[in-house]
């Protein structure tokens, strides 16, 4: 089965959401599924994108058999309501475009996780 996994947070970021998404995707690959993860460029929790991801609309890597597509987001170290909404909305639009144009082939299943917005 081809699974498109949508998770805003994913390793190398550290946290429960990231670890859960990675372990779930690895388990699906071990079970014989083709998994593509759409996620943001690393920036959590500081809101600062590492230099190797700056200036890119997307980055694609393979991790443990998982096709990982990292997408640009409007990250900010300032955690105001406006900056958070810009951050979440930028991921929403990037993920829609990434899913349409970067995910290879059609997926059988879309699995999505979401952080608490507020």
């Amino acid at each position: 089965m081809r699974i498109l996994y949508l998770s805003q947070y994913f390793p190398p970021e550290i946290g429960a959401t990231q670890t859960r998404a990675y372990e779930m995707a690895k388990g699906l690959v071990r079970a014989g599924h083709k998994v593509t993860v759409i996620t943001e460029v690393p920036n959590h929790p500081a809101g600062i994108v590492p230099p190797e991801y700056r200036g890119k609309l997307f980055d694609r890597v393979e991790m443990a058999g998982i096709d990982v597509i990292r997408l640009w987001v409007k990250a900010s170290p300032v955690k105001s309501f406006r900056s958070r909404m810009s951050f979440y909305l930028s991921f929403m639009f990037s993920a829609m475009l990434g899913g349409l144009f970067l995910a290879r082939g059609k997926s059988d299943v879309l699995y999505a996780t979401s952080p608490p917005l507020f």
Side-chain angles (χ1 to χ4, degrees):
M1 185 180 315
R2 296 177 58 88
I3 300 169
L4 183 59
Y5 194 141
L6 181 64
S7 178
Q8 187 163 1
Y9 302 111
F10 200 76
E13 296 175 324
I14 297 170
T17 302
Q18 298 86 322
T19 302
R20 191 170 38 252
Y22 180 61
E23 293 301 324
M24 174 87 126
K26 275 194 336 185
L28 290 167
V29 168
R30 277 194 307 271
H33 303 290
K34 170 70 176 130
V35 179
T36 299
V37 172
I38 292 182
T39 190
E40 66 184 18
V41 292
N43 71 81
H44 182 75
I48 299 169
V49 176
E52 61 268 28
Y53 296 101
R54 290 183 195 155
K56 296 181 181 180
L57 290 178
F58 74 95
D59 186 66
R60 180 178 230 132
V61 296
E62 185 178 312
M63 293 176 65
I66 306 161
D67 180 22
V68 180
I69 302 170
R70 299 182 193 286
L71 302 168
W72 173 87
V73 289
K74 178 128 177 58
S76 172
V78 176
K79 302 300 180 193
S80 67
F81 179 80
R82 173 178 257 151
S83 68
R84 283 180 184 266
M85 289 301 103
S86 294
F87 173 64
Y88 289 128
L89 290 171
S90 68
F91 178 68
M92 181 183 77
F93 287 114
S94 290
M96 284 188 326
L97 294 173
L100 287 171
F101 298 111
L102 297 173
R104 295 183 177 130
K106 294 193 177 201
S107 299
D108 299 307
V109 175
L110 169 64
Y111 184 85
T113 62
S114 176
L117 294 179
F118 303 101

